[in-house]
């Protein structure tokens, strides 16, 4: 039995909430470095303050994915309770962020904001797969990407628009200007209302309907047994290897004097090793796999195509996080000659970064509905993603050629095409290849390969920048361009897996 085909109005309603979620992410991405520097932090300390965001996503998304696969709250449904709860908390964080009295409060609110956005975002990825049949997955994720781009344009450019309308962009003696303050307040309202629109205008399919669509009402019980048996057969050597790797990272930080944030990476490796030992021992003791068992078991048992796609995702998001952390200091220092966050020129550069971010997101929204579907029909989804990644690498490389900051708008065209492809193609490929009943947990686990590169960038890249080019952060974009090239090469293996 097939799912009913959705009209364009249905596709709109399913994905409109992502417009609001992306408003929140765009305000965070374009302005948090600015807020941290305005509150007195140095360029060297920015990556450490950003660590909270990816770490939160790493912990939240697999858990929310597992829970949303198994939730049914009657009229409120399966995924929508998580949309709504996350939107409320994210809106509160956006309202409070501009009033932060110091760095500690701003960092805590960034943690709350990112956790809340992840609570809303992860089920939205699975929601498209729930509501659409396979022949509409590409269209569904394209519409979702278009709303992501539109929301990011709104969130990125709003401080600049406020300045053009006469709102003050400076604070005497330093601090957070009114342009950022008002943008965060309006952004919180937009986030909540957009998510509420999707909650009120969609009806999720019940568990019985989903079982009829997927053709196997006993699949959940069979999957439970499969995961438990696979865990029971798994040797403990792999778990011990994770623990040993984490211990080596921790020892390396202590002995070599590396960035302290790398302790987090070591701790995560150790924690996963311990969690897998617990899950394996429970399975061997005859206990059915619980949430921990499913997360550990499904992570280790990912399909081959998903593993290969994860490599491309890892390098793609490494490049993106380099851009989000460093674009404001890059533009301010290299194009405005204003590295001091207290100077008017720095604030002007920061507002121009808002325009640049709005540009690449606008390009992404247009490309998602026009260029990407056209290419996907002609050359396939995997090859389309390769083209998009190469466009992004060219966009990053062009920062070394351009001298006038206004010409950076051209650079954002390639970056925008890459962003559209990163948001649409991997998820369309996954949604058509994974079992629908486990789409939430698999999408949550796939997010590991979005989050881990961000943790590495926020720690390792900080050390690289500090030691190799402390006063020229533009060189971080060379790493971003190289990462996208590696991701494009990795996608060739995904193409071979799909053809196999």
């Amino acid at each position: 039995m097939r799912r009913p085909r959705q009209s364009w109005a249905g596709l709109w309603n399913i994905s409109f909430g992502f417009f609001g979620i992306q408003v929140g992410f765009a305000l965070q991405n374009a302005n948090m470095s600015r807020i941290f520097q305005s509150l007195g932090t140095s360029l060297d300390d920015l990556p450490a303050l950003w660590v909270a965001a990816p770490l939160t996503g790493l912990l939240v998304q697999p858990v929310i994915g597992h829970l949303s696969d198994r939730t049914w709250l009657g009229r409120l449904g399966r995924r929508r309770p998580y949309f709504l709860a996350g939107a409320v908390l994210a809106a509160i964080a956006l309202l409070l962020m501009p009033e932060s009295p110091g760095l500690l409060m701003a960092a805590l609110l960034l943690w709350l904001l990112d956790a809340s956005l992840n609570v809303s975002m992860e089920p939205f990825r699975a929601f498209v797969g729930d509501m659409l049949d396979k022949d509409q997955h590409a269209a569904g994720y394209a519409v979702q990407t278009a709303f992501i781009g539109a929301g990011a344009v709104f969130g990125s450019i709003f401080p600049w628009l406020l300045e053009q309308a006469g709102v003050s962009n400076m604070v005497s003696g330093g601090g957070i200007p009114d342009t950022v303050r008002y943008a965060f307040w309006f952004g919180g309202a937009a986030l909540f209302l957009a998510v509420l629109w999707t909650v009120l205008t969609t009806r999720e399919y019940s568990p019985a309907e989903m079982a009829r669509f997927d053709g196997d009402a006993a699949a959940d019980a069979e999957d439970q047994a499969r995961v438990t048996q696979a865990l029971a057969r798994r040797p403990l050597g792999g778990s011990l290897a994770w623990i040993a790797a984490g211990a080596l990272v921790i020892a390396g930080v202590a002995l070599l004097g590396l960035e302290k944030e790398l302790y987090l990476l070591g701790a995560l490796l150790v924690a996963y090793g311990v969690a897998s030992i617990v899950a394996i021992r429970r399975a061997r003791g005859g206990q059915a796999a619980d949430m921990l068992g499913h997360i550990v078991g499904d992570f280790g048992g990912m399909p081959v195509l998903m593993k290969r796609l994860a490599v491309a995702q890892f390098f793609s998001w490494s490049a993106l996080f380099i851009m989000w952390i460093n674009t404001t200091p890059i533009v301010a220092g290299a194009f405005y000659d204003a590295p001091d966050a207290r100077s008017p020129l720095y604030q002007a550069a920061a507002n121009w970064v808002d325009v640049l971010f709005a540009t690449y997101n606008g390009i992404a929204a247009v490309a998602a509905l026009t260029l990407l579907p056209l290419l996907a029909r002609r050359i396939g989804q995997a090859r389309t993603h390769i083209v998009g990644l190469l466009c992004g690498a060219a966009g990053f490389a062009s920062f070394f050629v351009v001298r006038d900051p206004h010409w950076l708008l051209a650079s954002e065209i390639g970056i925008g095409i890459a962003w559209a492809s990163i948001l649409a193609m991997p998820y369309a490929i996954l949604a058509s290849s994974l079992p629908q009943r486990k789409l939430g947990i698999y999408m949550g686990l796939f997010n590991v390969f979005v989050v881990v590169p961000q943790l590495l960038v926020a720690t390792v890249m900080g050390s690289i920048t500090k030691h190799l080019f402390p006063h020229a952060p533009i060189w971080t974009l060379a790493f971003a361009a190289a990462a996208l090239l590696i991701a494009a090469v990795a996608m060739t293996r995904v193409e071979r897996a799909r053809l196999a």
Side-chain angles (χ1 to χ4, degrees), residues 74-90:
R75 294 181 63 183
L76 196 54
R78 185 185 193 192
R79 315 288 185 186
R80 290 178 297 165
Y82 298 93
F83 304 165
L84 192 57
V88 170
L89 293 174

Side-chain angles (χ1 to χ4, degrees), residues 126-369:
F127 190 51
V128 173
D130 291 346
M131 301 296 291
L132 303 178
D133 213 58
K134 289 185 178 181
D135 64 351
Q136 280 197 296
H137 281 164
Y141 285 106
V143 171
Q144 189 177 89
T145 299
F147 276 124
I148 290 171
V153 169
F154 179 86
S156 296
I157 204 171
F158 203 60
W160 181 84
L161 290 176
L162 289 172
E163 182 186 18
Q164 304 310 304
V167 177
S168 174
N169 193 47
M170 286 295 298
V171 177
S172 178
I176 301 171
D178 285 343
T179 51
V180 175
R181 178 174 287 106
Y182 296 159
F184 271 63
W185 292 347
F186 282 110
L191 187 158
F192 176 74
L193 292 174
V195 172
L196 187 63
W197 177 279
T198 290
V199 170
L200 295 177
T201 58
T202 57
R203 184 192 71 83
E204 295 187 71
Y205 298 119
S206 69
E209 290 173 308
M210 293 291 288
R212 288 198 298 272
F213 292 145
D214 297 331
D216 189 357
D220 284 343
E222 293 176 2
D223 180 69
Q224 179 86 351
R226 179 190 62 80
V227 171
T228 302
Q229 292 168 7
L231 282 171
R233 292 194 300 267
R234 186 181 297 184
L236 292 176
S239 304
L240 296 174
W242 285 102
I243 295 173
L248 286 174
V249 171
I250 292 171
V253 175
L255 294 174
L256 301 177
L258 302 177
E259 295 293 318
K260 297 297 188 292
E261 295 80 23
L262 283 171
Y263 281 125
L264 283 173
L265 177 61
L268 285 171
L269 295 173
V270 171
Y272 178 75
V274 172
S276 62
I277 289 175
V278 172
I280 291 169
R281 290 182 65 85
R282 285 179 177 175
R284 289 179 178 178
Q287 298 182 43
D290 54 7
M291 180 171 67
L292 178 65
H294 276 280
I295 291 174
V296 171
D298 288 330
F299 185 75
M302 287 187 296
V304 172
L305 183 141
M306 185 174 172
K307 291 179 180 178
R308 293 184 177 183
L309 192 58
V311 177
Q313 195 79 334
F314 176 92
F315 286 101
S316 300
W317 283 85
S318 296
L320 293 171
F321 207 60
I322 288 171
M323 175 184 70
W324 289 330
I325 290 179
N326 293 293
T327 300
T328 295
I330 285 170
V331 172
F335 293 91
Y336 282 76
D337 194 25
D340 187 351
R342 295 168 294 182
S343 71
L345 271 179
Y346 177 94
Q347 296 299 334
N351 272 8
W352 185 242
V353 171
D354 290 340
V355 176
L356 295 177
F357 279 22
T359 300
Y360 87 72
N361 281 294
I363 293 294
V366 175
L369 295 178

